[in-house]
Amino acid sequence: MAIMAPIGLSAKISLPPYFSDNMVLQHSSPVKFHGKSDAGAEVTVKVSWARRPLKTTADANGEWSVFLSTPAPGGPHSITVSDGEPLILNNILTGEVWLCGGQSNMELMMQDKVIGGDENIAAAASFKDIRLLRAVKSTAAHQQESIRFEGSGGWEMCSPESLAPFSAAAFYFGKKLNEELGIPVGLIESCWGGTIIEAWTSAATLGRIGRFQETIDMLEALPEDKEEMRRTFEDNVAKWERRMAAVDPAFKDGVPVWGLPGADVSDWIEGTVPGFLQMQGISGMHGFFWMRKDVEIPESWAGKDLVLKVGAVDDNDFTYFNGQWVGHTESCIRQSVYNVPGNLVKPGINTIAVRVEDTGGLSGILGGDDILRLSLSDDEYIPLSGKWLCKETISPGEAPVFPVNGEEGMNNPTGLYNAMIYPLRDICIRGAIWY
């Protein structure tokens, strides 16, 4: 993979990484071609399909741009850009450029045993008019100007090495276009499995939907500095907990009584961990609900720090030990592992309670014995699989909006748009496909 950086070590000119050797430009179109140089530098752009060069001047920030009138489909072409030191891009084609986005369906790779995958990978070098550009997965709280690409860091010709990890859906789409239209095709893959559409949507668009406005406001208020962003998130989570305690019936006077040893569980429903609750014949358990399990701590463990592993919680968890918050994890594809301070560990019955947030579909706690345990050490642990109790509490609409973690979270609203779509805004494309 490569970060946005100057192309050509000896030149002062720098270009975004989507302007590189082997690229495809949208044919018969005004294409914005831009980069950076020294402030005030005179920049000349010469394309092989036109006689006259284009000239412009870099602004005070060193930024410059021109519009290229691209020819009919074909090539190969070259572009020479110079501010006194020339930089040449070669093997350029003009054809159709398509942005290929989506979730796991789009992310499924040619090497993932798809129909015809091995044969096409073996024959990849013969697809000379299909070019590939694959964005590195990333997320951001604010709109980003730079983007990174896998492989060489720019456009790549089809080869077994470049095609094998590329989207199968995107490649077969591009291959079909190339065969039927008889013109070059450039495919830009920017996708991430398991993501929600809100993550791929701009703040301006989401802001028109009232229920997202509070989240958008929180995102825009996040600082740029990573450490400050982390502290802000932690402060916001603490505030959210206090607001949640005021509306969640599991709390009384700010105390999570549903997570305390000895709580009244006469109306709780028994379920089995690991497993999806709905597949056990348990109805509901959507929005917010609680799951709890009593464990007996030996005298020798009392007062000692423990490690609590509650597996993968579908979808998000807020976990307590004897009524004290020990951690929170977003996303069911992450393992929830928390440190339990020794001052919470008592001999006898102790209670592990997980407030689950289910955003849709099935819900429950998943994992094997190795990731469902309360441990003193690798050799001394209490398995957590088996009988748990569960009880619904409130719907998502009744809960305060949870803070966004700007540092991570592939499903943060606007996060993938900011990092994986917005930086591509100046690329002239024929269209986009989503799967």
Side-chain angles (χ1 to χ4, degrees):
M1 71 179 63
I3 194 167
M4 181 176 179
I7 299 176
L9 297 178
S10 63
K12 292 181 293 182
I13 289 283
S14 65
L15 302 174
Y18 48 75
F19 292 138
S20 71
D21 291 342
N22 307 315
M23 67 179 170
V24 179
L25 297 176
Q26 181 61 36
H27 76 86
S28 309
S29 301
V31 171
K32 183 178 179 181
F33 186 76
H34 61 99
K36 297 195 72 173
S37 183
D38 294 334
E42 297 293 326
V43 178
T44 301
V45 179
K46 179 71 173 68
V47 297
S48 61
W49 62 84
R51 288 183 298 174
R52 293 184 179 181
L54 299 171
K55 296 185 178 182
T56 188
T57 302
D59 66 16
N61 296 317
E63 298 177 352
W64 55 266
S65 66
V66 296
F67 279 88
L68 309 178
S69 295
T70 57
H77 305 289
S78 66
I79 298 176
T80 301
V81 55
S82 176
D83 59 358
E85 299 179 38
L87 170 63
I88 304 174
L89 304 181
N90 291 306
N91 197 28
I92 299 166
L93 301 179
T94 52
E96 289 204 348
V97 181
W98 286 83
L99 175 63
C100 308
Q103 303 151 307
S104 56
N105 289 328
M106 184 62 76
E107 191 176 7
L108 185 72
M109 296 180 286
M110 290 292 291
Q111 65 192 12
D112 288 334
K113 302 303 179 184
V114 299
I115 296 174
D118 291 343
E119 295 85 348
N120 280 283
I121 290 171
S126 66
F127 307 125
K128 298 183 183 300
D129 285 349
I130 301 176
R131 307 292 172 85
L132 311 174
L133 187 64
R134 185 161 58 100
V136 171
K137 293 178 181 176
S138 59
T139 183
H142 306 106
Q143 293 177 347
Q144 302 297 297
E145 293 296 330
S146 62
I147 188 169
R148 296 176 297 154
F149 297 106
E150 300 283 4
S152 64
W155 284 91
E156 296 184 312
M157 298 184 66
C158 276
S159 69
E161 294 74 25
S162 64
L163 184 57
F166 200 78
S167 162
F171 172 74
Y172 283 127
F173 171 80
K175 184 182 179 186
K176 183 75 168 176
L177 285 179
N178 176 246
E179 290 172 347
E180 293 196 354
L181 300 179
I183 66 175
V185 176
L187 302 169
I188 305 170
E189 177 189 331
S190 185
C191 59
W192 196 330
T195 53
I196 59 176
I197 192 62
E198 292 88 344
W200 295 99
T201 308
S202 69
T205 299
L206 282 183
R208 295 200 290 268
I209 305 173
R211 65 190 179 93
F212 288 107
Q213 191 57 56
E214 185 175 350
T215 299
I216 298 302
D217 291 342
M218 284 191 289
L219 281 166
E220 292 179 346
L222 286 174
E224 293 283 355
D225 180 78
K226 295 293 185 181
E227 188 57 39
E228 288 184 34
M229 188 182 292
R230 187 179 299 113
R231 286 195 296 267
T232 299
F233 175 68
E234 292 170 354
D235 290 345
N236 287 340
V237 169
K239 294 175 184 176
W240 179 87
E241 266 296 298
R242 292 192 290 272
R243 294 174 64 192
M244 190 68 173
V247 297
D248 188 343
F251 288 77
K252 183 177 181 179
D253 298 326
V255 177
V257 292
W258 287 13
L260 294 175
D264 180 9
V265 294
S266 58
D267 60 346
W268 289 54
I269 300 171
E270 183 177 317
T272 300
V273 169
F276 291 115
L277 298 175
Q278 292 78 9
M279 296 180 70
Q280 301 170 35
I282 299 173
S283 61
M285 300 304 159
H286 302 298
F288 287 93
F289 64 94
W290 286 71
M291 298 184 69
R292 57 174 283 154
K293 183 178 183 67
D294 289 339
V295 294
E296 187 160 357
I297 299 293
E299 188 77 37
S300 60
W301 285 25
K304 295 181 179 179
D305 295 346
L306 304 178
V307 175
L308 174 60
K309 297 181 178 181
V310 289
V313 181
D314 192 341
D315 290 290
N316 309 314
D317 78 90
F318 310 82
T319 298
Y320 299 78
F321 190 90
N322 287 338
Q324 296 294 314
W325 165 290
V326 293
H328 158 67
T329 300
E330 293 183 70
S331 176
C332 60
I333 64 174
R334 295 180 176 176
Q335 303 299 320
S336 301
V337 181
Y338 306 117
N339 295 317
V340 179
N343 66 300
L344 300 181
V345 183
K346 313 298 180 185
I349 297 299
N350 291 245
T351 300
I352 298 165
V354 180
R355 181 175 57 205
V356 180
E357 180 188 13
D358 177 56
T359 59
L362 301 175
S363 60
I365 297 176
L366 310 175
D369 288 342
D370 58 331
I371 55 174
L372 283 168
R373 59 175 58 175
L374 180 65
S375 305
L376 177 66
S377 66
D378 290 342
D379 299 323
E380 295 184 81
Y381 59 87
I382 299 170
L384 299 181
S385 57
K387 173 185 172 182
W388 283 61
L389 298 175
C390 51
K391 183 178 180 178
E392 286 187 310
T393 173
I394 61 176
S395 68
E398 297 173 290
V401 177
F402 190 76
V404 289
N405 185 348
E407 272 197 297
E408 56 184 66
M410 63 184 188
N411 281 327
N412 281 345
T414 76
L416 300 181
Y417 170 84
N418 292 337
M420 298 178 68
I421 297 297
Y422 181 79
L424 304 175
R425 67 195 182 280
D426 286 329
I427 301 179
C428 183
I429 62 174
R430 176 67 176 87
I433 58 173
W434 176 275
Y435 189 19

